[in-house]
Structure formats: structure tokens, C-alpha cells
Amino acid sequence: MSGPRVVLAPDKFKGSLTAPEVAAALGAGIRRRAPGADVRAVPVADGGDGMVEAFATAGWQRVEIDAPGPTGEPSRAVYAMRDETAVVELAAAVGLVKLPGGRPEPLRADTFGLGVVVAHALDAGAREIVLGLGGSASTDGGSGFLRALGLRLLDEHDDELDGTAMDVVALLNRVQAVDRSRLHPAVARARFTLACDVDNPLLGPAGAVAVYSPQKGADRRMMVELEAALTNWAAVLGTGYAEIGGAGAAGGTGFGALAVLGAEVRSGIDVLLELLEFTALVEGATLVVTGEGSLDHQSMRGKAPVGVAAAAKAARVPVVAAVGRTMLSPGEIHAAGFAACYPLSELEPDAARSMLTAGELLERIGERIAREHL
């Protein structure tokens, strides 16, 4: 008789462990307590950093190429591909983690390297492009990304603007029109999906600048300049697109993709679970274990663990969460679909020590989960 089947589908513990490392630690603890368990790891992500690795762990081809980082320096980027579908993670190409020395460059950083990666995927035969938007270092409205795909930005004299010779504000303030005639030829035959967990518009108090640019090093003066530049960029490409939820994702990259590529915005975790055929994976499972660094009210707005819980519930499989900490009440946890929640903070209240010893603590949590649910 086969043992219980457990599907491990955690997101990363930011600043501590990657999603595959979280799954490995939980799996070690579960196997120690329940040696006969069939433990299957399916690390997840909600559109931000870690998305490519989730697909690579699931057996997709991992493609590594040369692509400029957010400030144009030579760098390496990765994407995942299977058949005609490519999963491209913005953070892995032009994210905050790619800034030289970690120094923010709120006016210089752009998304050109993301376009280089997408062009490579299109050249390789991809016709379904999933863009994981999150962790961006820039607020360029996706202009760099689109320039790398062949979009020409024109000034009032219909001369092409040199995006490498000016910062984001100067570029977007001067653009008066765009020329789409030189877009990568495969763009017209490809479908673009924006996988993200935010619904911000491009402009205004809930927009890309107001909400996210301070995290990228922008001060008040820079924020005013960036907002004005994006306002002009929106007028050129179409203000209607600027109002769509998700247009403000990744410094407005969502807006650029909506306006020029005809992209569709979807929940990052929903896209990932669909592509990984998660429903089939959990069919007949005994238990699903998910988690992330912090389970809080923001998690309720489309973060990975709640998406996993919804999918598990639809398959009638109980799901529990292993998290660094939780800010939710027991009632809120159960309302979100979790049978139980196991925060590391109960084992190690000191947050710094908890992050340093997260692997060991997760193994202990894994043992407890096996004891109480298998």
C-alpha cells in the first residue's frame, strides 16, 4: 500500500530561502517523520523573482543569455521555455537585484534588457510569452523594453530619440510619437501575458511612481519628474491603457506591454499554477503545503499561498501553510482556505535568528505537519 502523497508548493522566504530551498527543508522534515510519504516539490512564485526557477524545477528548459542589466552594464539573464511558451522574469534581467553594488538609479535604470530577453525567446520560437512583473529597478513605463523589441521613439521632428544618451525623464518628456514598423516580426504572432500580483494603474496616487518609486531610490523631486514623464508617455501611447489595473506594475512596464503588445494582465500565481498543470498534480493528494515569508493581509490580494490554497480547495485537498510569520487571525487564516498555519516565529521569536536558521526551523515544521496531518 502506497503512503500519503504530499505536494509542497511554497513561495520563497524573501531574504532567507528560495522556494526550492523551502520545499527541500519541509520535505526533509516530513520524510523524517513519515518515511513512507510520497513527497513532491512544486515551488511557486506570484510573478516576481523566483518565477523562472519554479519552472526550471518543474522540468522546463532553463535558458541563460547575455543581456544588459538595468543600468546597461553587461550581465546574464535567464528565462524558462517549453514548446512555444517562454516564461520571462523581469527581476532576473533588470530587477533591483541586478543593480551594480545594489545602488539604486531611479532616473537611469530602464527595462531594455528585458526586451533583449524577450527577443531571444521570440527568435527561439516562443509564441506565448509570460512576463513575470515584479522586483523592477526602474520606472520607465516599459519604454526600454519596447525599444529593445524595435519600437522607435520619435521627437517633434520625427527623429528617433537615442535612449542610451539620456535618462528616463528626458527621454519620455521628449517623445511625441512612436513608430511600430520595426517591431520584432514575431510580436504580431505572439501572445503576451503579464503575470503580476498588483492592480495599480500607471499614474496618480496609486500609480507606479507614487507607490513604488521610493523603493527604487526616488526622492520627492524625482517622483514629480517621473510622474510628469510618464504622463507624457501615456498621452503618446494611449491614456486608456494607463488606467487598466496592472498598468503600473514594474515601473509601468505593464502599461507599455498593454499599449503596444496587446498584453493581458493576469494573476501571477494563477498563470503559474495553470502552466504547471497544478490541478492534475494535486489530484488524489493527501495534503498540500504552501507558504511564504510573511502571511498577511497583502497575501489576500493574489499572493502565491492564497492562490495555492484556492487551487487545492477546488481539488478538495486540504492545505496548510508554513510561514516565517503571520499577521492574520486564526479566523482569517481559515477563511483564506488553510486548515492550519505554522509560523517559524513560534519556534524562534527573534526575526534575525529565524531568517538565519529558516532551513532548520522548516524541517521541524515539516515533522510537525507530518505528525498532525499524515
Side-chain angles (χ1 to χ4, degrees):
M1 183 177 178
S2 60
R5 181 155 62 87
V6 182
V7 176
L8 303 177
D11 197 353
K12 62 187 174 298
F13 279 36
K14 194 168 185 177
S16 182
L17 297 175
T18 65
E21 289 170 339
V22 173
L26 286 168
I30 290 171
R31 291 187 184 95
R32 189 177 302 132
R33 180 73 184 187
D38 174 11
V39 181
R40 305 184 186 185
V42 189
V44 300
D46 52 26
D49 52 314
M51 194 163 186
V52 166
E53 291 306 322
F55 283 91
T57 301
W60 288 46
Q61 180 187 2
R62 189 178 187 276
V63 183
E64 186 170 350
I65 66 167
D66 290 319
T71 51
E73 69 290 340
S75 187
R76 299 287 284 173
V78 297
Y79 66 93
M81 188 162 175
R82 188 183 67 182
D83 301 327
E84 292 189 346
T85 301
V87 175
V88 180
E89 180 185 316
L90 180 146
V94 292
L96 287 164
V97 295
K98 305 291 283 189
L99 285 166
R103 293 185 300 274
E105 293 281 0
L107 300 186
R108 281 187 58 223
D110 69 14
T111 52
F112 191 89
L114 176 65
V116 172
V117 177
V118 170
H120 190 279
L122 292 171
D123 289 340
R127 294 299 177 263
E128 295 272 348
I129 305 290
V130 176
L131 293 174
L133 301 185
S136 73
S138 61
T139 311
D140 76 339
S143 56
F145 164 52
L146 296 170
R147 285 192 299 109
L149 288 176
L151 186 73
R152 299 173 68 232
L153 276 57
L154 308 177
D155 65 14
E156 68 273 20
H157 305 297
D158 283 341
D159 293 326
E160 183 172 6
L161 294 164
D162 182 359
T164 64
M166 59 188 79
D167 66 27
V168 168
V169 168
L171 178 68
L172 297 186
N173 276 332
R174 288 187 59 188
V175 64
Q176 296 298 310
V178 295
D179 175 8
R180 305 173 188 233
S181 66
R182 299 184 190 176
L183 277 172
H184 192 295
V187 163
R189 303 189 300 276
R191 185 172 71 172
F192 293 84
T193 300
L194 307 182
C196 64
D197 64 353
V198 301
D199 56 5
N200 305 80
L202 179 67
L203 305 170
V209 173
V211 177
Y212 300 110
S213 69
Q215 303 168 12
K216 304 170 188 183
D219 59 25
R220 287 181 179 272
R221 175 187 61 81
M222 293 175 182
M223 291 173 68
V224 171
E225 292 177 351
L226 285 166
E227 183 77 4
L230 286 182
T231 299
N232 184 62
W233 181 231
V236 172
L237 292 187
T239 53
Y241 295 106
E243 299 166 1
I244 296 173
T253 303
F255 165 74
L258 286 162
V260 176
L261 305 178
E264 175 189 11
V265 180
R266 292 189 59 196
S267 159
I269 185 60
D270 287 351
V271 172
L272 182 140
L273 295 177
E274 181 180 298
L275 290 175
L276 293 181
E277 300 175 336
F278 189 76
T279 300
L281 287 172
V282 300
E283 186 79 30
T286 307
L287 181 70
V288 171
V289 184
T290 187
E292 65 179 345
S294 179
L295 187 67
D296 50 35
H297 290 96
Q298 189 177 0
S299 303
M300 301 299 103
R301 299 185 62 189
K303 291 289 188 178
V306 173
V308 170
K313 181 179 180 180
R316 299 184 178 180
V317 178
V319 58
V320 300
V323 300
R325 63 172 188 170
T326 181
M327 311 296 288
L328 303 180
S329 69
E332 290 171 324
I333 289 168
H334 287 289
F338 301 105
C341 180
Y342 299 89
L344 303 192
S345 57
E346 289 186 356
L347 301 178
E348 176 50 79
D350 184 270
R353 282 199 295 266
S354 178
M355 291 179 70
L356 285 173
T357 60
E360 173 191 334
L361 297 174
L362 282 165
E363 288 193 30
R364 291 168 59 186
I365 292 294
E367 289 188 67
R368 183 178 169 190
I369 289 172
R371 181 174 68 250
E372 295 181 4
H373 295 275
L374 300 182

